[in-house]
Amino acid sequence: MPSTGRAPTAVNEHAPPTHRPPRPRRKKSMLQRRENRAAYLFLAPWFVGLAVVTIGPITASLVLSFTDYSLLESPNWVGTENYERMLGDSRLHNSLIVTFVYVFVSVPLQLALALALALVLDRGVRGLPIYRSVYYLPSLLGGSVAIAILWRLVFGTDGLINQVLGMFGFEDLPGWVGHPDYALGTLIVLNVWTFGSPMVIFLAGLRQIPTMYYEAAAVDGAGPLKRFFSITIPLLTPIIFFNLILQLINAFQTFSQAFIVSGGTGGPADSTMFYTLYLYLRGFSAFDMGYASALAWFLLLIIAGLTAVNFIASKYWVHYGDD
Amino acid sequence: MATTDLTAQIAARRKERQRRSRPRRILIHLGLISFGLVMLYPLLWMLASSFKPTEVIFREPGLLPSALAPGNYVEGWNALRNPFHHYIINSTIVVAGSVVGNLLACSMAAYAFARLTFFGKRTFFAIMLGSIMLPIHVVIVPQYILFSSLDWINTFYPLIVPKFLAVDAFFIFLMVQFIRGLPRELDDSARIDGCGHFRIYWKIIMPLCTPALATTAIFTFIWTWNDFFSQLVFLTDPDMATVPLALRQFVDSQGQTSWGPLFAMSVIALGPVFGFFLAGQRYLVRGIATTGIK
């Protein structure tokens, strides 16, 4: 297929803007005005959506976060009370710890596994499309309720894991999802299990590294380890960064797995009480909409802050081709 | 001359290495296959267990059932207030609306961003990219208030209408990337032939965008079908439940006694995702390589 059939990949997304030949001046302004109007027409749905479903609600939740609102009565201005409450809310602090542990343990593991398998598969392994599909499948299913149910049974007291461990002579095993020390671990395993989608992105990135670099390095006598650390890793850093940002944001938003595995409680003993689950329970089970709005804004700040830190840090470890 | 020598030398060396490492290649395959089996085993176990009587599920970790219980599917189908196809129909309505909405609204926005110059383009593009990272949890409370004031709670509108407003910016980005790769000469010659922007979008860009549209459709299908959070918030009436909500009702209402039927319905719930995965792998792999979506 000619170039039209190939989707551009994340790697070459910085395509240079196409320059158009200059037009005569008067005509340009008329054409430009028409183009402007056409563009705004094409964007009209998006503008409405942005205003009504995105920016409007963000602004509204900022206002609501300073109120006491239960949906039944109109909101009551309470100043910074919700934010002061957050400072003293130990369940909230616990949910932050749970979420951070989940994110910062599962994402690095997931990315390391994704990179390792991408490196193995990139070496011209025969049957690559089959392996890629098999490893990718869990990423598509991972967020579904059915898989969360499966997890609950696999890691239950009489579940698959304990049956298999029992065959090897282990006895008195805990029900992993029902034990406060292990429940979060089962969810981390579930997230690592969905390493397929970053793996596919890594594979696409590895394809972009010209083989001549390796050949030149081999001729110069660089061993496989040296080539890996001097060529593969530096050239892959933009992709690693890209995957890191995406998976961090994804992991912060995990909800249904924790909800189903804990039966909607975040239990046992709040050990799977993710931030999003706590927000849901405050907002839609207690109908404490003002407090839930404050929680939502804090989540926005956490994600924005983390992304900003990542972008700043990336200056020190991500190499783009031009330097 | 020197370079050809070098290439030949390298090719020879590579061939040599390949021949030498055949046992190693077999080992790699064995490793990859066993790892794949471990990964897929829970899924296979669920499929096998959906045919086992419940008391056997918790005794046999193997795949081949010692006793068959195809009745699981019948029992599961009728375990809730409504027969299971009621929930499948609800999910299908939400999914179909979302797919159509995303295809239309996102492609229109993408055409503007990829092909037209207009006032504020850079700013809007940045806002669009930023909104990709915005978690739904941040806007769900005011959205709920908005939709409940419209009396839209327990209807499918809150789940479908936003898609017609291009709220899934991910797909805008995906299509912008794709349209930028199409040759501009096509638009220019169409313009010379007197086509307006709408005709160019509809008659030229859209047909060439089929791969990107397919990726969008498949991902929208899978995400919406799997989506739990927004459906849980906006659909509280058990009769309006979609498949994920029905499964949740199932878990809550049944005790430990009916895992077999529960597994059967879980298999039914995963079936369409698996089917689309098989049919659309090409587009899925390309799609995530383009934008890194899950």
Side-chain angles (χ1 to χ4, degrees):
Chain A
M1 266 226 259
S3 63
T4 50
R6 220 184 89 244
T9 60
V11 189
N12 57 19
E13 76 191 35
H14 305 287
T18 16
H19 293 290
R20 305 230 235 137
R23 293 199 186 92
R25 222 175 157 249
R26 250 190 82 225
K27 218 176 156 196
K28 181 185 169 189
S29 68
M30 200 195 77
L31 275 176
Q32 185 53 53
R33 236 181 306 146
R34 260 178 58 190
E35 195 163 319
N36 241 332
R37 208 169 47 219
Y40 286 130
L41 275 178
F42 274 106
L43 284 172
W46 181 72
F47 280 131
V48 175
L50 190 68
V52 176
V53 193
T54 310
I55 291 187
I58 292 180
T59 324
S61 69
L62 181 61
V63 176
L64 283 173
S65 73
F66 293 103
T67 66
D68 183 9
Y69 185 34
S70 66
L71 271 187
L72 300 172
E73 300 156 45
S74 51
N76 245 335
W77 189 264
V78 294
T80 56
E81 199 177 281
N82 286 323
Y83 291 96
E84 284 158 32
R85 225 174 105 196
M86 282 170 68
L87 286 176
D89 185 346
S90 59
R91 281 191 95 187
L92 168 67
H93 304 159
N94 170 65
S95 82
L96 279 170
I97 294 170
V98 168
T99 310
F100 274 90
V101 169
Y102 171 78
V103 169
F104 290 110
V105 174
S106 72
V107 171
L109 285 176
Q110 184 201 33
L111 290 185
L113 192 60
L115 180 58
L117 277 155
L119 286 169
V120 173
L121 289 178
D122 189 52
R123 301 229 171 124
V125 171
R126 209 174 282 177
L128 165 73
I130 299 171
Y131 288 123
R132 191 175 53 193
S133 297
V134 166
Y135 295 154
Y136 179 54
L137 180 63
S139 328
L140 288 180
L141 308 176
S144 68
V145 169
I147 292 298
I149 291 174
L150 172 65
W151 233 247
R152 201 166 144 167
L153 296 192
V154 165
F155 288 97
T157 318
D158 304 318
L160 179 62
I161 293 286
N162 282 355
Q163 289 175 42
V164 172
L165 288 175
M167 287 182 351
F168 290 103
F170 290 94
E171 277 169 21
D172 292 330
L173 293 159
W176 306 95
V177 290
H179 194 293
D181 291 344
Y182 303 119
L184 185 59
T186 65
L187 295 177
I188 289 173
V189 173
L190 175 51
N191 197 36
V192 175
W193 189 60
T194 63
F195 69 91
S197 82
M199 183 197 75
V200 171
I201 299 171
F202 278 135
L203 270 172
L206 287 169
R207 288 277 163 85
Q208 304 274 327
I209 301 177
T211 41
M212 63 178 205
Y213 287 179
Y214 294 107
E215 280 156 7
V219 170
D220 287 347
L225 264 184
K226 176 86 181 155
R227 284 189 303 238
F228 177 70
F229 284 109
S230 313
I231 301 174
T232 314
I233 289 294
L235 287 175
L236 211 55
T237 46
I239 310 289
I240 297 175
F241 178 61
F242 181 72
N243 268 333
L244 180 68
I245 294 272
L246 274 177
Q247 296 307 324
L248 279 180
I249 290 171
N250 262 330
F252 261 104
Q253 298 183 43
T254 307
F255 174 82
S256 48
Q257 294 89 320
F259 187 95
I260 295 295
V261 164
S262 70
T265 63
D270 277 356
S271 63
T272 60
M273 181 64 89
F274 284 161
Y275 194 91
T276 50
L277 183 51
Y278 188 60
L279 192 154
Y280 171 82
L281 292 176
R282 293 319 313 162
F284 299 98
S285 164
F287 284 101
D288 199 349
M289 293 294 193
Y291 193 56
S293 297
L295 290 175
W297 256 86
F298 191 54
L299 177 67
L300 183 64
L301 292 181
I302 293 176
I303 290 189
L306 210 74
T307 313
V309 166
N310 250 316
F311 269 96
I312 293 166
S314 76
K315 294 214 170 78
Y316 299 97
W317 65 274
V318 177
H319 302 267
Y320 291 103
D322 44 354
D323 57 9
Chain B
M1 275 306 270
T3 36
T4 28
D5 276 358
L6 205 57
T7 348
Q9 208 181 319
I10 290 167
R13 203 189 287 178
R14 198 189 282 162
K15 206 173 257 170
E16 170 70 19
R17 206 185 312 146
Q18 267 173 10
R19 201 165 48 79
R20 221 186 321 158
S21 62
R22 166 165 282 176
R24 231 187 100 201
R25 286 216 317 274
I26 294 174
L27 262 180
I28 288 180
H29 276 288
L30 278 179
L32 287 172
I33 290 171
S34 30
F35 184 71
L37 277 178
V38 170
M39 277 191 58
L40 292 192
Y41 196 82
L43 294 175
L44 298 172
W45 181 70
M46 172 157 78
L47 183 64
S49 298
S50 73
F51 292 101
K52 294 177 187 170
T54 298
E55 62 280 5
V56 175
I57 295 178
F58 294 106
R59 278 206 320 264
E60 292 178 0
L63 291 181
L64 284 177
S66 64
L68 273 177
N72 281 345
Y73 281 83
V74 180
E75 201 185 306
W77 203 272
N78 298 308
L80 298 171
R81 278 163 60 107
N82 299 291
F84 208 74
H85 60 252
H86 178 88
Y87 308 110
I88 295 180
I89 292 172
N90 284 351
S91 267
T92 310
I93 296 171
V94 174
V95 167
S98 303
V99 169
V100 174
N102 268 348
L103 286 179
L104 280 176
C106 294
S107 66
M108 282 169 62
Y111 175 74
F113 280 126
R115 280 298 203 251
L116 304 178
T117 42
F118 55 92
F119 178 74
K121 179 171 172 174
R122 284 171 145 261
T123 318
F124 291 131
F125 193 72
I127 293 176
M128 188 272 288
L129 285 183
S131 73
I132 293 176
M133 306 209 178
L134 188 75
I136 177 148
H137 314 87
V138 172
V139 292
I140 194 83
V141 168
Q143 272 190 14
Y144 183 86
I145 297 166
L146 169 74
F147 292 133
S148 74
S149 70
L150 295 170
D151 254 338
W152 279 8
I153 304 301
N154 284 319
T155 70
F156 299 135
Y157 296 126
L159 302 169
I160 296 175
V161 172
K163 313 283 178 181
F164 280 87
L165 302 174
V167 166
D168 280 347
F170 240 121
F171 298 118
I172 304 181
F173 178 59
L174 185 140
M175 287 194 244
V176 167
Q177 295 289 85
F178 193 87
I179 295 174
R180 277 180 180 164
L182 300 174
R184 251 185 201 266
E185 290 75 33
L186 293 169
D187 314 27
D188 288 342
S189 56
R191 192 162 301 135
I192 290 163
D193 290 347
C195 277
H197 288 295
F198 188 79
R199 293 257 308 271
I200 293 175
Y201 156 75
W202 193 250
K203 295 272 183 193
I204 299 190
I205 301 292
M206 279 298 97
L208 290 173
C209 262
T210 322
L213 294 173
T215 307
T216 302
I218 295 170
F219 269 116
T220 307
F221 175 92
I222 293 176
W223 285 358
T224 315
W225 184 268
N226 282 342
D227 172 41
F228 180 62
F229 184 72
S230 54
Q231 298 178 1
L232 179 71
V233 168
F234 293 126
L235 303 173
T236 49
D237 176 355
D239 289 332
M240 295 304 285
T242 52
V243 170
L245 297 179
L247 285 179
R248 184 245 169 160
Q249 284 178 30
F250 205 147
V251 182
D252 285 357
S253 63
Q254 314 285 315
Q256 290 279 337
T257 49
S258 53
W259 289 121
L262 180 58
F263 265 157
M265 291 307 104
S266 301
V267 169
I268 299 274
L270 292 181
V273 177
F274 189 67
F276 267 75
F277 162 73
L278 285 184
Q281 281 183 58
R282 214 153 58 93
Y283 298 114
L284 289 172
V285 168
R286 231 183 239 160
I288 43 171
T290 308
T291 56
I293 44 192
K294 205 169 198 178

